[in-house]
Amino acid sequence: MKHFLKQAFVDLRDYIREHFSLEEKLMAESGLDAGYIARHRAAHENFIKRVDELWDIHCAGSDSAAEELLGFLMAWLREHILHTDRNMALDIHAR
């Protein structure tokens, strides 16, 4: 089970980095406001930092870190993707 969790984390981290990179490139190419892009990029960096922190807590032996990570990911999906990213996409398509 431990190996499965580690591989899931590695896969998640790889996907996150690739997705955020493509999203940030799209924002820049679409001519979105530089301040908006900087704030969006900071949100991505904070997301990665928090995922890493939760993984470190899990590796240190916490029984609740995996559940906390799941809750964090669900909140991110609900807030960032369904609102922030959706509004960004609407702005890009309106250009």
Side-chain angles (χ1 to χ4, degrees), residues 31-79:
L32 293 180
D33 176 70
Y36 173 83
I37 295 172
R39 288 187 302 277
H40 203 108
R41 183 174 288 129
H44 287 168
E45 290 169 3
N46 288 334
F47 176 86
I48 291 169
K49 181 180 175 185
R50 184 62 181 146
V51 168
D52 285 345
E53 288 171 354
L54 289 168
W55 178 251
D56 290 344
I57 292 168
H58 170 75
C59 290
S62 171
D63 292 333
S64 64
E67 188 174 319
E68 202 173 329
L69 176 60
L70 180 60
F72 176 70
L73 292 173
M74 295 200 49
W76 177 268
L77 288 169
R78 191 172 48 249
E79 297 302 319

Side-chain angles (χ1 to χ4, degrees), residues 6-24:
K6 183 176 182 180
Q7 188 59 50
F9 175 78
V10 168
D11 291 346
L12 172 66
R13 193 119 181 5
D14 289 348
Y15 171 77
I16 289 167
R17 288 197 176 279
E18 182 179 336
H19 174 81
F20 286 171
S21 177
L22 291 171
E23 187 175 297
E24 291 165 9

